[in-house]
Every structure is written in C-alpha cells, then in structure tokens.
Amino acid sequence: MKDSTPQPIFLKDYRQPDFWIPEVHLHFDLSEEKTRVTSKLFLQRNLEQSTSKQAPLVLNGEQLSLVSVKIDGRVLAENLYEISPTSLRINGVPDKFELETVVDIEPQKNLSFSGLYKTSGMFCTQCEAEGFRNITYFLDRPDVMSSFKVTIQGDKSKYPLLLSNGNPVSRRDLGNGRHEAVWHDPHKKPCYLFALVASDLGVLEDSFTTRSGRKVQLQIFSRHGTQDRCRHAMESLKWSMKWDEDVYGLEYDLDLFMIVAADDFNMGAMENKGLNIFNASYVLADPQTATDADFDAITAVVGHEYFHNWTGNRVTCRDWFQLSLKEGLTVFRDQRFSADVGAAEVLRIDDVIRLRTHQFAEDAGPMAHPIRPQSYISIDNFYTMTVYEKGSEVIRMIETILGRDGFRKGMDLYFKRHDGQAVTTEDFVAAMADANEVDLTQFKNWYDQAGTPTIKVSTEYNAAKETFAVNIQQHCGPSPGQPEKKPYHIPITVGLLGANGKELSLQLADGDRRSSGTDRTSMVLHLRKPHDTFIFEGVKEKPVLSLLRGFSAPVKADFERSDVELGFLIANDTDGFSRWEAAQTLVVRMVRDLVEDFSAKRTLRNPVSVVSAFAAVLKDKAIDPAFKAHLLALPAESYLWQFYDVVDVDAIHTAREHIHQAIAKENAAVIAEQYAALAKAGTEGQGHEMAGKRALRTRLLDYMIASGQPDAAEAAVKQRSTAKNMTDELGALSVLTRANSPLRAQEIAAYREKWKNEALVVNKWLSVQAASPLTKLEDIRRLSEDSLFDKTNPNKIYALYVAFARLNLVNFHDVSGEGYRFIADQVIDIDSRNPQVASRLVTAFQCLKQLEMKRQKLMHTELKRILAKPGLSSNVFELVSKTLS
C-alpha cells in the first residue's frame, strides 16, 4: 500500500524543468456556478536538461475538472493522457508545441482562498506559493517564467471591473449582459505572480511621473464609499516609487499600477505584477478608524509590495527554498524606506521587538530552520519570521559590512546580471562580494544555519596602558538537523561612553583591520572567530561599553553589567536601540529574581532598580514622547519566556505584573501629572510628533490603571468616549480590558455598538479583548458566538483565536488544559477549509518542550488529536509532526 503521509521536498534534489513555457494565453469565462478556464501554453523542451529529452510533460493541477486536451489543435483521446488528483501527464510530446486545456472550477466553493476564489461578491486570486495549480494545469514553479495574455469574460452588472496583470489591451461588450477585458503583461513572470480580480468596486486614482518622464496611472480599488480611506495608501505608493528611484535608481516599468483591497485574504498583501492584491486592513485608513500603528503598517506594506517589482518580480526565485532572496531583501528595503519617511529610531526598535519576540522563539523551537531551508513538506509553512524578518537582518548585516555605498554597488550589479531571471541566494551574495571585491564566504553561514547565535562579552580596562579590551565569544546551539554550527561573521557595532555620559573617540590597536565605519564614536567590530579580543587604545578613563548599536546583528548578548551601568546607559547612550535595550535588560534581570521568589513561595521583593530607572525616564523632559513610550514599555511575556529552559507560566506573568504595578504605584504622581498635561494639550493631528504624544498618553494611562488609582478607569472612559481618533480610543479600550473595574464591560459594549458596522475596527475590538489576561476562555467562547465574528474570515480568526493563543499566555496555558483543547478544536475545524490559516493557529503549540511536564502532557494530547484527524492538510501535518518529534 502506498504511504499517504506527506513527504518532504529537498533543496538538494532541485533540477531544472523538462519544459519551458515562454508564452501563455488564458481565457476565463466567469459564472456563478462554474468558471471555465481555457489555457493555451506554448511549450518547448528544455534541451539543456539532459534527462528531459524523452521526458513526458507533467503539469501540476489540483481540484480541476478537465473538459478537453489539445496538442497543436488536435484533440487528445482520453487514453493518451493520465490525470491524477495533483497532475496531468502526457507521454510522447514533441519538443515544441501548443497545449490547450479546458477545465471547470468552482471559485465560490473555494474557502481556502488559494487559487481563484469568490468571496463578498468578488472573484479574486492568490497564487503564491502554489495556488495557480488550482486554476489550470501548469508547471507551477517559480523558475518557469512566461509572458501572459489574459482574456476575462463576466457579468457586466455584477463585475464591471475585470482586472489582470500588466497593461489593458481591449474591452468590449459581448451582449446578453456580459463583457470582456483583455490584458497583456510584457514582462515574463512565474505563475505565482498571476492575478485576476472581477468585482464592483470604487476607485481612487492618481498618477506618478518617473524620473525619465513617463506618466504612470495609479489606481486603488476598494468597496464603494471607502475611497477616501485609501488616500494614505496612495501617498505611500507615491513615496515608495520616488524612494526606489532616489535610493536604488529603479523605475516602475508598466503604464499602470493597481492595488485592490480584499476583505477576505489569507496574507497581508501580494505583489502580483502590476495588480497588487491587499488585505483591506493594509489599505483602508483614516484617523477615526485606524491607529497610528495602522498608518505605519500601511506605509510599510505598500512599500514592500511595490519594491517587490524589482526584488521579486523582475528578479525572482529559482525555487521556493530561495524565498528569503525576495522576501528578506524586500523587508529590508521596506524597513529602510519606513525609516526614511518616518520615525527611524522607534521603528527600528519595533523591528527588533518583532524579531526577538517571535523569530527568536521560532529559532528555539521545533520549526527552527535557516533563512534558506533545506527541506519542506508544505512551502506555505515557510512564510515565516525567519525567512522574512531574520532574512532582512541578514541583508542589513551585509549593508553594515559593505557600507551603504558598497551595498548600492552590489545591488546595481545584482540587477545588471540577473534582470529577468530566476536566481538563488548565492547569486545575490556573489553580486555583493564581486561589486566590492570582498570575500563573503563565511558570511553565507547565515543562510544555511538555523538558530540564534549568542555572543558572550566581557571587558577589561587597563588604566596604566590606557587600553580597553572587549572579549567576545560566539556560540550557536544545536537545532533540528544541525547539531554543530560553524562560526558566523558577526558585525557588532559598538561605542564607548565616558563618566560624563559623552561619547569617546574610538581607536583600535595599530594595524587592526577587524573593524569598519567612518564615525569616530561608533565602530563595527567584525567577529569571525569563535573567540576574539578587540583592544581600544588611548582610553583615558574607564568607559561604559555601548553594545550592538542599532541591533547590528540578530544575536543574543550575554553581557553582565551592573544595575548602575544599565541605568547610566538608559540616561546617556546616544544610540536609541542600546538605550532601550538597557531598560529591557534591567527588567529581564528583575523578572528572574521575582520568578525565584515566586517559586520559593517568598514575598516578592520590591524591584527598586527598575522603579528608579523608570522614574528617571519619566522625569526626563528632553526625551522624545514616542521614544519615551518605548522606554517605558515592559518586555512581552512571550519574550521573557526565552530566558528559561522550562517556563513557569504563572510565575513569569506574576513577576511582570508585579514590576508593572510597582513602577505605577511608586511614580503615581508624576504619571498622573504627565497624563493630565498631554490630555490638556490635546493629541489631535497627524505627523510623528503627535503620534508620539498619543503613544505616551496611552502608556501613562496603562500605568495609571496598574496603580489601582480609583479615578484611573474614569480617565480611560473619558479618553475613549471623547477621542477624536482611533489611536486614543483603542488605546483607552485596550487599557480598560486590563482593568478590574465595573466600567470594563460597559466600555467594551459601548465600543462594540459604536463600531459594529466597521469590520476592520471590529477586529481591533476582538484582539484587545483576546489579548487581555482578564479575558478567560469562556469569554473567548462567547466572542466566537458573537454575530460580529466570522469563522471563515482570516482577519477575524487572527484577531480572536491567534491573539488569544499567542498573547494571552496565562489563560491559553491554563493548567486545566482547556485552552489547548479549544484551540485544537479550531485548528481541526479551520483546516478542513483553509489550511494556511489553520497552520498559523497551530504555531501556538510550538512551545511544547518549554512547558513543565503537566502542561506538556495536556498539550501533547491535543496535538495527537489534531494529527489523528482524517484528511489533515500537509500544512498542519508538518507543523504538528515536527512539534511532536
């Protein structure tokens, strides 16, 4: 009997396809019951592939009802081809021929939202990674690049918009209430970049003139009546186009750029050539319905998808193992763009928080993989924080090593060599190395090794010689399939502070070429060995080391510093990340002490050092409000988990809450005073300055609630009810969901009533409740029965179930195990219709081995129950089986 267990695919087994498809003609006859897709593929045998000379044609295809097959106009009898649930096989085909297939599909029944699906009155596609095979038979792999001509026919009244990639060729009325549109994309692309949208939508239009003088038409389509809420996305698009020209010399290459906002979409957005499809949450925004964080996210995502036009579309991946080639690089580009148009310092800290909270945990868990994995069962599972966020940090390190000018030289060579090609990470690194005449051989270990390296740092000051030695060791522990790791090339940016808090000039010993950088007060140390020592000369006083400035490498730092030194860095360091990191380190250290107290059943000590340091931050009027809000934020519980081999869920939660309350109570007067001053001055208006004041105002309100002041809840109610923007309103509601106050339920209900007709705002209402430690499992069950919740909508699932499982740790991990059972039930249910979304939810179980034995057993039982489900998708099978292994 054939083993039906999903089998892995390996990078080492890559081989070129047996056939190329230089040209594709697609014809879509859209209807409410069955959509007919006619595909004409112009194929030619890959004669450079020695094994392909007699090979049959095998095309991918799933959930397709085949109507007919023709080769060069001749209908094939059924005995001349073979159909399986995943493929169409034809033996004895010529070296060059035209293949026509006709298939019927049912988009209205496609609840996976992969391929062509119909939802909310819209036909829509999502083809990355392997959705195109659900539309028609094709070589569904990224190294097969084709020019597409697409004809779409549909009901004129229901679908006045018929959109696809590239430039419009023609439109005509067909009679009988139907019409047709023809599109042509002159640029060859893999099928994962194919897009089709048919709907009735409003449009916001604008234009952009490229630096060479071409006028590009810009269109953003969204539900009628929401066009004004697309204006920030449109401005972000124009900023992106200008930025890519200014920074990389890259122009847009079509006459038209379109964005469509979809209410039902598994991902954030998709970079289909010329026709980007976005989750509506990353398009629609105005101050009344979107927060400052939403505005920043829209800028970043619009930039990200636009930048893919070159890093992903013009130059694409040879195979899916190279996914970070486009995603890591493009995340880096969108982060640089966001920093240039936004508040760079706080955005960088947000990047680091996201990486360390989520990606570091991924690196330490059962799904740990290099940014270029060696195998996968379902590629959908590798759209991960490692591929995206760590991939971006690896690109950032290359820029740090080469400098910005050197990095631009490398990018120029990369595009010159590979425009129009499907390539590998080796190709990218080679372009960087060749353009700058440097050796990046050792650096490539970042692409091939999983795990988060740790650098252990110690220092020694010699007053007589006026030298300061920095000793650094690197180590990366074993990860699945990789028991031993080679040393990394780690760029570590450092500075030295004198006793007066001023930066010291840096000078390494004569002839030491293990550093780079032109700033005399900040230097990049290049750690390549398992252990190395860097000696600074001319240091006339004992300095304080500022380490990993700007978070110059995605590593953990083991560096023992006193509470006094950390407080000194918080007060004086000129590098925003290092200053914030000192505050985080101080809290992490105190959490460790409090967890010991909790475990020993002792009275929890007073966290004096943290309270004192945070008091100094509160009183410092020179600190920018947005940065102060970040300095005052405590590390997330999920990040604190990373410091324990065995996690005591309740101890960590209690310790963090104890610190939160101590800071709030000891500084109650100054917190209330500053909150009142911000409330009186007002926090209306757009721009980074006002956004920073709003962030600080909500942070202070959170501390007021934690202090237990009797009037704190009333202040939150006033902020919510009088707010003129969503940032202040949602901030107040979020704080209230954590308040032990009778006003809590009242305000949650009032917010619901006010915003029940705004789907994106309802998602916020769900997520702030799901994340609150006061929200118990019975509350989640109640919310899942609320008429505003839709268990088929990915955004709703992420807002409620994923937020509960990933953010409300003390209740998801309740010792009864009921949280595990509930989420396992949802995984089993969702997997039957949308495996991609189900696999996102199942990642909450990947902390299995960190838990103490009782919780491990309870979680293990639920994972086994998921695994036993008949017809389990390969997406969920892979994650669950690896978690259990």
Side-chain angles (χ1 to χ4, degrees), residues 234-250:
M234 182 65 82
E235 289 305 306
S236 298
L237 175 58
K238 292 190 290 184
W239 296 339
S240 303
M241 298 176 83
K242 178 71 163 56
W243 186 87
D244 220 14
E245 290 184 349
D246 292 345
V247 177
Y248 290 105
L250 301 174

Side-chain angles (χ1 to χ4, degrees), residues 486-538:
K486 299 175 184 177
Y488 293 88
H489 176 181
I490 306 176
I492 303 169
T493 305
V494 300
L496 299 179
L497 302 179
N500 61 359
K502 303 296 183 184
E503 303 262 14
L504 301 181
S505 182
L506 303 180
Q507 176 65 54
L508 281 181
D510 280 348
D512 195 329
R513 299 185 181 276
R514 295 168 300 160
S515 68
S516 60
T518 56
D519 185 348
R520 292 181 60 83
T521 60
S522 201
M523 180 180 288
V524 181
L525 306 179
H526 295 276
L527 179 66
R528 296 182 177 90
K529 303 175 182 177
H531 175 267
D532 213 341
T533 298
F534 302 85
I535 299 176
F536 293 94
E537 296 181 331

Side-chain angles (χ1 to χ4, degrees), residues 35 115 146 172 414 722 756 777 836:
T35 288
S146 315
R172 65 183 179 123
Y414 177 61
T722 62
K756 62 186 178 183
L777 179 58
Q836 286 186 30

Side-chain angles (χ1 to χ4, degrees), residues 618-634:
L618 282 162
K619 293 171 185 174
D620 190 338
K621 296 180 180 179
I623 302 177
D624 170 76
F627 186 53
K628 180 178 281 193
H630 278 69
L631 280 176
L632 293 172
L634 300 180

Side-chain angles (χ1 to χ4, degrees), residues 586-613:
L586 200 58
V587 174
V588 169
R589 180 179 297 171
M590 182 54 64
V591 166
R592 284 181 175 276
D593 292 341
L594 293 169
V595 166
E596 288 183 10
D597 290 344
F598 184 93
S599 300
K601 296 182 169 53
R602 296 191 296 260
T603 300
L604 301 186
R605 71 193 75 183
N606 186 6
V608 177
S609 59
V610 176
V611 170
S612 176

Side-chain angles (χ1 to χ4, degrees), residues 314-514:
R314 290 284 290 256
V315 184
T316 196
C317 303
R318 186 197 72 177
D319 54 74
W320 289 122
F321 296 99
Q322 319 297 328
L323 181 59
S324 196
L325 174 75
K326 73 181 185 79
E327 295 300 350
L329 176 56
T330 307
V331 170
F332 168 75
R333 276 160 41 77
D334 84 53
Q335 289 178 350
R336 279 293 191 208
F337 161 67
S338 294
D340 285 349
V341 301
E345 193 169 60
V346 296
L347 288 172
R348 180 58 182 150
I349 291 171
D350 287 338
D351 294 338
V352 175
I353 291 172
R354 188 163 50 250
L355 181 86
R356 299 204 307 194
T357 303
H358 303 295
Q359 194 281 319
F360 278 19
E362 190 169 270
D363 254 349
M367 276 293 290
H369 57 276
I371 64 172
R372 182 176 62 180
Q374 298 300 305
S375 67
Y376 61 80
I377 291 175
S378 172
I379 186 55
D380 291 337
N381 288 336
F382 284 84
Y383 284 75
T384 61
M385 294 293 294
T386 298
V387 165
Y388 280 67
E389 306 299 329
K390 186 175 180 178
S392 170
E393 295 299 322
V394 169
I395 300 295
R396 186 181 294 265
M397 286 190 289
I398 293 176
E399 187 196 60
T400 299
I401 291 166
L402 301 178
R404 290 207 177 188
D405 290 343
F407 187 78
R408 169 63 192 271
K409 286 167 59 180
M411 290 290 283
D412 288 346
L413 182 59
Y414 177 61
F415 294 126
K416 182 179 178 180
R417 285 178 174 177
H418 301 299
D419 187 14
Q421 298 177 13
V423 299
T424 67
T425 54
E426 283 91 353
D427 295 318
F428 176 80
V429 176
M432 288 289 158
D434 294 348
N436 291 276
E437 298 181 343
V438 298
D439 184 355
L440 294 175
T441 302
Q442 183 183 5
F443 185 83
K444 288 192 289 186
N445 290 340
W446 284 102
Y447 283 92
D448 296 323
Q449 296 183 164
T452 305
T454 295
I455 57 169
K456 184 174 178 61
V457 180
S458 63
T459 62
E460 183 179 352
Y461 178 62
N462 188 317
K465 294 183 179 180
E466 295 184 347
T467 60
F468 184 69
V470 179
N471 306 297
I472 312 177
Q473 300 176 44
Q474 62 165 295
H475 172 71
C476 189
S479 53
Q482 293 184 331
E484 300 290 336
K485 306 292 175 66
K486 299 175 184 177
Y488 293 88
H489 176 181
I490 306 176
I492 303 169
T493 305
V494 300
L496 299 179
L497 302 179
N500 61 359
K502 303 296 183 184
E503 303 262 14
L504 301 181
S505 182
L506 303 180
Q507 176 65 54
L508 281 181
D510 280 348
D512 195 329
R513 299 185 181 276
R514 295 168 300 160

Side-chain angles (χ1 to χ4, degrees), residues 14 83 87 157 267 325 429 450 455 520 555 604 620 821 861:
Y14 171 83
I83 300 176
S87 68
S157 61
M267 301 184 179
L325 174 75
V429 176
I455 57 169
R520 292 181 60 83
V555 299
L604 301 186
D620 190 338
R821 173 165 285 273
T861 297

